[in-house]
Amino acid sequence: LSKCACCVLINLHIYLYRFCEADLMSYKFPYRSKAIFAFQIIDNKEICFFGMFVQEYGSSCPPPNSRQIYIAYLDSVKYFEPRNLRTAVYQEILLGYMEYAKSLGFMKVNIWACPSNRNNEYIFYCHPLEQKFPNGKMLQEWYKCLLDKGIMENIIVDYREIYKHIQDSCFTSVTELPYFEGDWLPEMLENLIKKLKKGIQKSTTDASVTNSPSLAHTIQNNEQRVNVTVSQDIISGKELFENALLYIKNHREAYFVAILYTDNVACFLKPISDADRLTSCKLISSRNQFFSMAKEFKWEFNSLRRAKFSTMAICYRLHNCDMESIPICIKCRTDFASWHCTFCEDFNCCQLCYDSTSHHHSMERIL
């Protein structure tokens, strides 16, 4: 374990609430996106075996997201040794992060226990073929063991399934539900709002085709009023909340809310001030960006040999963020380009490929 290390990389984002045209809640929720990776030295080479992307909504973020954390993605590859300590190490990384977040003043950690699979990988590209993926029930039990351990270590006060948390908190509107980027709750709410909007517009259209001129004029005025206030009526409406609650109830076992501080101590907490500096790096700007680049550059983890190379390539990219504007070699796809074709707009190659191959146009040095 002495040869393990963690790396934390941070970006700043602003997430827009797309359906809040009224003034019932803020239309933007600023948060810090953190990418956390764990490494172990195996055969004198660093291997990245664990990755996690989280969203941190600080004390300055408007409610209902204020002082909340969303664990967006978590992934691992089966290279950590000894094997019997893998679960313990993964859980210690998570609990250590929660303890750190609690020391900063965050109050809740939201976890969506949705398992990945071979066709829908989260962070690492190309898992080993022999690595098994847990199903939903197994992953939920894994998180329950983690959270129970957090309670025993006084890191977590309590945890609840999302449906019970809503009931215990006496929520009465969807505006009290946290809105995290990439979460299933916003997607579900947006789909419900679209359906309700279509229903209102359809009923208004049906009424406006009446033969009575005075009635048609009245309906037209009502339609204009609805277009202005439909979002406010829908978002604060009881029908939307009840429909959302029914959907949440059916999926309650897959979503946990870990309580770091109870609401009655919120007024005593200091403003959150994170000393970790922001990192401007395209690679870790989001999970989608990281996975897309891993797929493009073939940073595979399906064997130990490839995991060593992929880890080296990822670390090299992270340590050379200032060179992101420099294109990648179009031939080997593993190094920054040193030469650019003066005729072909997208032809760039590194020094090694430039020396070993020929190109029918003139080349100019760019690095």
Side-chain angles (χ1 to χ4, degrees):
L1 297 182
S2 60
K3 293 187 176 181
C4 293
C6 281
C7 173
V8 181
L9 303 144
I10 307 167
N11 269 279
L12 185 64
H13 296 262
I14 295 179
Y15 188 38
L16 300 181
Y17 188 89
R18 294 194 290 273
F19 281 92
C20 194
E21 299 163 5
D23 294 329
L24 294 173
M25 64 189 302
S26 176
Y27 68 92
K28 62 181 180 180
F29 300 101
Y31 69 89
R32 277 191 166 199
S33 173
K34 287 189 176 180
I36 302 172
F37 295 96
F39 301 81
Q40 184 182 29
I41 296 178
I42 301 176
D43 300 333
N44 295 322
K45 299 293 182 182
E46 292 179 342
I47 300 292
C48 185
F49 66 89
F50 178 91
M52 180 169 67
F53 279 81
V54 300
Q55 300 170 15
E56 295 181 350
Y57 297 82
S59 53
S60 60
C61 181
N65 285 26
S66 180
R67 294 185 182 272
Q68 300 221 34
I69 289 175
Y70 176 58
I71 297 181
Y73 294 96
L74 186 149
D75 200 2
S76 65
V77 284
K78 62 163 204 65
Y79 295 123
F80 180 83
E81 295 294 341
R83 181 176 181 177
N84 62 312
L85 293 180
R86 287 175 186 170
T87 296
V89 169
Y90 300 157
Q91 291 183 346
E92 282 302 316
I93 293 173
L94 274 167
L95 290 176
Y97 169 72
M98 290 185 190
E99 187 175 22
Y100 171 73
K102 184 176 182 178
S103 69
L104 292 178
F106 288 98
M107 297 181 62
K108 295 180 180 69
V109 179
N110 298 265
I111 303 172
W112 180 18
C114 180
S116 61
N117 55 60
R118 205 163 296 282
N119 297 322
N120 183 28
E121 297 175 303
Y122 281 169
I123 298 176
F124 297 109
Y125 175 58
C126 279
H127 286 68
L129 291 176
E130 63 274 17
Q131 179 169 340
K132 296 180 180 179
F133 291 86
N135 57 33
K137 195 67 177 177
M138 292 174 60
L139 187 61
Q140 291 160 20
E141 291 299 322
W142 189 89
Y143 274 115
K144 286 180 181 179
C145 292
L146 164 75
L147 297 172
D148 287 335
K149 188 177 180 181
I151 293 176
M152 293 175 58
E153 297 181 4
N154 294 322
I155 298 173
I156 300 170
V157 176
D158 193 12
Y159 73 91
R160 308 170 189 138
E161 294 175 348
I162 181 66
Y163 183 73
K164 188 176 187 306
H165 175 68
I166 292 173
Q167 288 184 317
D168 292 347
S169 302
C170 301
F171 289 168
T172 58
S173 170
V174 295
T175 58
E176 297 174 280
L177 298 175
Y179 198 92
F180 305 126
E181 184 173 6
D183 191 20
W184 66 275
L185 281 176
E187 183 180 357
M188 176 267 296
L189 291 175
E190 290 170 4
N191 290 334
L192 288 177
I193 290 173
K194 287 177 182 177
K195 289 180 181 179
L196 291 174
K197 276 188 174 183
K198 286 182 180 179
I200 291 176
Q201 292 171 355
K202 185 177 185 302
S203 61
T204 304
T205 304
D206 292 343
S208 63
V209 297
T210 179
N211 294 327
S212 171
S214 59
L215 181 59
H217 178 70
T218 304
I219 294 297
Q220 186 178 5
N221 290 339
N222 287 339
E223 184 181 10
Q224 292 174 356
R225 179 188 63 80
V226 169
N227 285 339
V228 173
T229 61
V230 64
S231 293
Q232 183 172 0
D233 293 340
I234 289 177
I235 291 175
S236 60
K238 185 178 180 181
E239 183 181 0
L240 174 61
F241 183 67
E242 289 178 349
N243 289 340
L245 208 58
L246 181 63
Y247 190 90
I248 291 171
K249 184 178 181 180
N250 294 333
H251 299 81
R252 62 186 182 274
E253 295 181 352
Y255 201 106
F256 299 98
V257 180
I259 313 297
L260 304 181
Y261 288 108
T262 55
D263 292 336
N264 57 356
V265 302
C267 58
F268 301 104
L269 296 175
K270 297 179 180 179
I272 294 175
S273 178
D274 196 338
D276 293 333
R277 64 181 180 87
L278 295 176
T279 303
S280 177
C281 185
K282 181 180 178 182
L283 175 62
I284 49 90
S285 60
S286 68
R287 169 264 168 190
N288 290 340
Q289 183 65 46
F290 182 90
F291 188 79
S292 296
M293 292 184 69
K295 195 172 183 179
E296 179 183 359
F297 299 130
K298 302 294 188 294
W299 296 338
E300 301 176 356
F301 284 82
N302 52 2
S303 69
L304 185 61
R305 179 179 65 86
R306 290 179 176 175
K308 291 177 181 179
F309 168 79
S310 299
T311 300
M312 178 182 64
I314 291 171
C315 291
Y316 178 78
R317 191 79 178 188
L318 290 174
H319 286 288
N320 291 275
C321 290
D322 56 335
M323 299 176 66
E324 286 189 335
S325 59
I326 302 174
I328 296 294
C329 176
I330 199 172
K331 289 184 173 293
C332 65
R333 309 293 294 177
T334 60
D335 198 3
F336 291 107
S338 301
W339 296 86
H340 173 69
C341 178
T342 57
F343 183 80
C344 305
E345 184 178 352
D346 59 347
F347 188 89
N348 308 283
C349 67
C350 63
Q351 185 64 49
L352 184 63
C353 293
Y354 176 79
D355 294 336
S356 59
T357 60
S358 60
H359 186 61
H360 52 281
H361 297 137
S362 61
M363 304 282 287
E364 62 178 358
R365 178 177 284 277
I366 58 175
L367 181 63

